[in-house]
Amino acid sequence: MEKSNGNKATQIFWSIVSFLRRCLFLVISVRPIPHHIAFIMDGNRRYAKKRKLKEGDGHRVGFLALMSMLKYCYELGVRYVTIYAFSIDNFKRDPEEVKSLMDLMREKIEGLIKEESIVNRYGIKVHFIGNLKLLSEPVRLAAERAMEATANNSRGVLSICIAYTSTDEIVHAVQESCEEKSDEISVMNASGAGYGLLQLGGNEKEERENIVKLTDIEKHMYMAVAPDPDILIRTSGETRLSNFLLWQSAHCYLYSPSVLWPEIGFRHFTWAILSFQRSYFYLDRKRKQS
């Protein structure tokens, strides 16, 4: 009986907390809300060392922190969230650690498909971003199943950057753009129409130099599924981007709380939003000037 009463009291308490949080978000929403927030989840290993946990346990606690951040984002009305889950450079770590991370990743990816998962609860479409060919087959297949299972969700987008670096993304986009233009030129030449380098009296040298345009590269970026981020949050007090969204983050607000990733909480999230709102008109002006 006492246990039952305790459970009811706990449920009531968290219901009140959730209600108050939503009320605060309504107040915050009076000012501009970011469309896209990106996270660099830094500090899982240091957290495990600090708390004398097994190394892998730091990542498990970090996953719980991620679920809280996703909940806050979608409750506030942020449509796009991107997380830096695993860099290509992380493959250089100890093989046992990499294997442990891949196993944990597959376990959590498969959890996204479950009906009660956060992505289904909030109607979130999941994209896995990066050079997925570098992943082990079980992880890659799990990622493909998660993308297929959430393809019809439309209330928000979660992009998980895995086997990703920004330089790899840019090289990939340039290669894809060049191959696409090469195919177009081949088709035009085969039809006898040429590629129109001198159309409308244009200069041949200028036309050749501009065959591949900025828009061609941007549409082939892995992150073409989302607009550029408005806020990039990196924990542990680090201000480095670590080869993450270098192309997309030219005009976003950078927030670097000193806490380790598993320690990030509601107050840090709220402060990031308020800080973004204070800087919004300056950032928007700079974006329009570029």
Side-chain angles (χ1 to χ4, degrees):
M1 187 68 176
E2 288 182 8
K3 186 175 181 181
S4 176
N5 289 336
N7 289 337
K8 285 182 180 179
T10 300
Q11 289 174 1
I12 292 171
F13 172 77
W14 286 114
S15 295
I16 294 172
V17 169
S18 178
F19 173 74
L20 293 175
R21 184 174 64 242
R22 290 171 186 270
C23 289
L24 178 59
F25 283 163
L26 282 174
V27 174
I28 291 175
S29 298
V30 171
R31 300 195 68 190
I33 292 299
H35 297 292
H36 183 181
I37 298 180
F39 293 96
I40 299 178
M41 305 180 291
D42 189 17
N44 288 327
R45 292 194 296 174
R46 274 170 284 171
Y47 177 84
K49 193 173 291 186
K50 176 181 172 182
R51 296 298 180 94
K52 296 181 171 54
L53 303 173
K54 295 178 183 176
E55 199 166 85
D57 289 345
H59 295 288
R60 291 186 179 276
V61 180
F63 179 79
L64 298 178
L66 171 61
M67 292 299 102
S68 294
M69 289 300 110
L70 292 179
K71 179 172 67 176
Y72 301 153
C73 284
Y74 297 130
E75 284 183 358
L76 181 61
V78 178
R79 180 168 172 76
Y80 297 92
V81 178
T82 299
I83 61 171
Y84 200 6
F86 195 84
S87 165
I88 289 175
D89 296 332
N90 290 151
F91 284 111
K92 299 174 185 176
R93 292 182 179 179
D94 180 77
E96 282 298 314
E97 182 185 355
V98 172
K99 183 181 183 306
S100 174
L101 283 171
M102 288 294 118
D103 290 343
L104 176 62
M105 217 167 290
R106 183 178 64 172
E107 174 191 325
K108 299 307 180 184
I109 291 171
E110 288 173 345
L112 293 177
I113 304 173
K114 294 179 180 176
E115 188 175 344
E116 71 277 9
S117 72
I118 191 168
V119 297
N120 288 320
R121 197 159 69 243
Y122 290 98
I124 307 305
K125 180 185 292 187
V126 177
H127 292 284
F128 285 88
I129 305 296
N131 190 348
L132 304 186
K133 293 181 291 186
L134 298 178
L135 299 173
S136 63
E137 186 175 3
V139 176
R140 188 177 68 255
L141 292 176
E144 290 172 357
R145 286 195 297 271
M147 287 190 284
E148 184 179 352
T150 62
N152 294 324
N153 292 348
S154 58
R155 288 172 54 196
V157 175
L158 171 61
S159 299
I160 302 173
C161 294
I162 179 172
Y164 171 93
T165 61
S166 196
T167 47
D168 179 73
E169 177 185 30
I170 294 168
V171 169
H172 164 81
V174 171
Q175 288 175 337
E176 290 289 310
S177 300
C178 290
E179 288 176 12
E180 181 182 65
K181 290 300 178 181
S182 177
D183 291 342
E184 287 179 10
I185 291 170
S186 298
V187 170
M188 295 292 284
N189 288 340
S191 68
Y195 195 64
L197 293 176
L198 295 175
Q199 285 179 355
L200 303 177
N203 180 279
E204 181 176 3
K205 182 180 178 182
E206 288 182 5
E207 291 285 350
R208 286 188 182 278
E209 288 177 350
N210 293 310
I211 285 178
V212 177
K213 297 179 173 61
L214 179 63
T215 52
D216 297 317
I217 294 174
E218 287 185 332
K219 77 177 182 181
H220 287 292
M221 300 290 277
Y222 294 138
M223 281 300 297
V225 298
D228 292 348
D230 298 297
I231 306 177
L232 196 156
I233 298 175
R234 175 171 186 158
T235 48
S236 303
E238 297 284 354
T239 53
R240 296 175 291 112
L241 294 182
S242 295
N243 216 342
F244 178 58
L245 302 187
L246 301 181
W247 184 282
Q248 298 87 354
S249 59
H251 303 291
C252 79
Y253 180 77
L254 303 178
Y255 176 60
S256 304
S258 59
V259 293
L260 303 174
W261 175 254
E263 298 168 332
I264 193 170
F266 179 71
R267 64 188 178 92
H268 305 104
F269 177 80
T270 305
W271 188 251
I273 301 300
L274 295 174
S275 299
F276 163 76
Q277 290 177 333
R278 285 203 304 270
S279 306
Y280 174 78
F281 293 105
Y282 170 78
L283 293 169
D284 190 53
R285 186 171 66 250
K286 287 294 183 182
R287 188 179 293 113
K288 289 175 180 176
Q289 289 173 355
S290 64

